[in-house]
Amino acid sequence: MKDNIVSTSALRREYGEVVAVRDMAFSVPRGAVMALVGPNGAGKSTLLKMLSAVLEPTRGTAVVNGVDINEDPRGVHSSVGFLPDFFGLYEELTVEEYLEYFARAYRVPRGRRENLITRTLADVDLAGKAGSRVQALSRGMRQRLAIGRTLLHEPPLLLLDEPASGLDPESRHDLQKLFTRLSRAGKTLIVSSHILTELEDYCTHVAILREGCLVACGSLAEVRASIVKKRRVRVRAAGSQEGALQLLRAAGLENPAVEGASVFFDFSGNDEELAAVLKRLLDGGVKVLHFGEEGGGIQDTYLASLEKKL
Amino acid sequence: MSLLSDLFPEIYRYRAQEAGRTRLISGLAAALAICAATGYSIAKTTASWSDYLSAVTTMQFNMLVFYGTLCAAKSVTQEKAERTWDFQRLTPLSSFELGAGKLLGAPIFAWFLFACLLPAAVLTLLLAPEVYQNFFNRYALGLAAALLSMSVGLLASSYDDTGGSGMGHLSGPLVGLAGVTILNSSFNYAGRLALPYPELVHFYGLELGPALSVAFLAASFLAFAAWAFLGARYRIGRDLLEKRRAWRLPAFLFFLAWYTAGFERARAGSGQPALTALLLPGLAAYIAAFLSGERQEYWRRWLEGEDPARRLDDTPAWLKGAAAVLVIAAALYLVYGFGGAPDLKAYTRLYAILPLFLLRDLMFLQWCRFSASRRPEMMGLAYLALAYALPLIILLPTKMTVFLPAFVPYVRAELSAAANLAGPLAQALLMGYLLKIKIKAVLAEEN
């Protein structure tokens, strides 16, 4: 429990008759990067708002960095950098003035402010835009400035709601690099997004939401194992694939077949057992060029989860 | 300024947003031109320093009150409309720091224009010291009225959930116009104090002299400005999920009753009920109940709360308001209800009748909040208006006025006190019973 930065218990939020988040219980380990995935209306934004203590739950609670969101919502704010799915910037200010304002609001001591703002500008690649007015920034720059604001008070947890929404591929790539850097710096990130393929590169955990319910939650491998019962594995050997096919058949694996220049088979064991299959191929003299799962990323796991009944 | 903007970062932001160099220079140029044009026209007409001071301060304070109120009245509304409010909520700034920062920071350009005209007024005082009384009266009343108007603007803005659309746009100009009216009325009043037989302030039997009357008026403005600021702070604090405080609304209602009763003492002493001292807090309790919006979720949390101190603080506004008005009515009855002329004795029943109707209405409002209506407050208001209007429409033309006390706050001296009170008491009890059933049903449904 102690190394979980977020821990929820029967967390529920209703808007009148509509249940946006239904009795969710999950936890997020410190230092994880969790992808929050689900269709529109799944309850992702509501969940993030409750975790950042800007929205009171109808029932249940969550402990964020050791602070209960019901008992001390203001205490939660100091642990959290929340980026909603809108920018909310002051258009008439310059980039530097904007960060200066929030540094003052976050009670950063006067002596530290200048360094902190310079460092934040560098972190979000806006050092060259310090004197520009916010209204003159591109969408990608605005998004980075908004992320810069969430970093100012150095929170251990970042809650990012659709951060890549509406960005061009280059800006999305920049954002992805930024998240990887933040993750390496020890921050815990909970990122909701529709662009699932991009999450795969830096997410360690995933939570799948549907109609306000938590379908699955945990490390990528755990969630995949709970949803995708069989993994599809591709083997590519140098030269003919026949040797590999024979060995796989001899090992009793399910549905081995040659498709194009590779052999595919279904596998329902764990990672250790899969490693044993590879060893068997190598010991059998097969020159393995590629051995790995096909699919199995967040997108495939999410798509597979759609078949799961709530 | 730097220390102030460190304490209230909002001031830093407004200064960066609103006080650009071009704006400051053009504002200063306009102020100088106004001073010169006013000076020229006064010199060509009355050539009186006092008239010049009056003209300059009238412009100065009308601009400060109207423009400053407009700015204060859109301070929170604009944040909500531009969706920057959530980010302010996430900072460690308290409701006091945010509220005070907005109150002082939002009208920063209005304060700058005010400061530009100040040297003209001070110069007049130096050149013609005999205008000092007019100078101090106008600055005391003007600054107090400006703070009052801006605080009410901030209060309106903090309660505006329309995001600045529709009626939300009107609150600033309306409060600004009210502020300008109060300002100019107070200037006129101060002017009339210099005439023979001035209309002095009488408060709890004390007759205040001209200077004290002005000081009393300014202090009253400041007191109500402080209450308006506290109200805005309370509403901002709700958005920040700060803990509520049980005493604030009752304290305001008690203050309002005490303040109003100060002007009614002579009337009440002769046996007429101190109605304004009861009606104004009642009206304020009504408004607070309508604005508070505590619905099912809030009630469930409140009733299931385990900490008694927190439950007391979280008591729904209508309950606090109704309880405070009952206490006020009891206090007014104890102070004024036993003396006075015997033929006016029956009217002391109003001390019980008015709170009973208030209680009935507030319970009905809460009953509506438990209904499925999307706008229960409006629904409640419409039904309550009918509840008062229909008996009048039906009973007056049919000359069945004997039944009126059962439906409207009305004293019929021929009736016994018990008969006069029976109607409102029965309605309050019935409404209480219906509300109790409703609460039980709603909470059972939720569980």
Side-chain angles (χ1 to χ4, degrees), chain A residues 40-84:
Chain A
N40 288 336
K44 303 188 294 290
S45 298
T46 302
L47 177 62
L48 288 179
K49 278 184 187 168
M50 284 193 286
L51 293 181
S52 58
V54 292
L55 183 69
E56 286 176 298
T58 305
R59 272 182 223 174
T61 192
V63 176
V64 176
N65 202 29
V67 183
D68 191 300
I69 58 168
N70 287 322
E71 294 300 318
D72 186 10
R74 302 287 283 156
V76 172
H77 295 162
S78 61
S79 306
V80 166
F82 177 45
L83 181 76

Side-chain angles (χ1 to χ4, degrees), chain B residues 109-132:
Chain B
F109 191 64
W111 283 110
F112 171 76
L113 294 176
F114 172 83
C116 287
L117 289 168
L118 193 59
V122 174
L123 196 66
T124 309
L125 180 66
L126 292 176
L127 293 173
E130 69 276 10
V131 301
Y132 81 96

Side-chain angles (χ1 to χ4, degrees), chain A residues 206-242:
Chain A
V206 64
I208 300 174
L209 273 63
R210 189 147 42 102
E211 293 170 31
C213 296
L214 192 64
V215 178
C217 179
S219 71
L220 220 46
E222 285 167 356
V223 170
R224 193 168 48 214
S226 75
I227 289 173
V228 186
K229 297 298 176 198
K230 284 179 188 169
R231 291 189 266 178
R232 186 124 177 100
V233 182
R234 180 164 81 98
V235 182
R236 192 166 155 242
S240 165
Q241 308 300 314
E242 204 51 39

Side-chain angles (χ1 to χ4, degrees), chain A residues 14 53-54 57-59 74 77 84 86-88 90 92 100-101 104-107 110 113 149, chain B residues 5-7 10 12-13 17 79 83-84 87-93 97 240-241 297 300-301 446:
Chain A
E14 296 166 8
V54 292
T58 305
R59 272 182 223 174
R74 302 287 283 156
H77 295 162
F86 50 86
F87 298 131
Y90 295 106
E92 301 91 344
E100 168 81 27
Y101 164 66
R104 285 170 187 246
Y106 277 114
R107 298 298 183 212
R110 195 184 291 197
R113 262 183 236 147
R149 175 196 58 227
Chain B
S5 63
D6 266 358
L7 276 175
E10 285 294 89
Y12 168 82
R13 181 171 68 80
Q17 276 180 307
E79 302 279 1
R83 307 182 82 179
T84 47
F87 305 119
Q88 296 200 336
R89 291 171 63 198
L90 282 165
T91 66
L93 295 178
E97 289 162 334
L240 299 183
L241 306 181
E297 284 171 30
R300 191 188 48 73
R301 266 204 302 267
E446 288 235 327

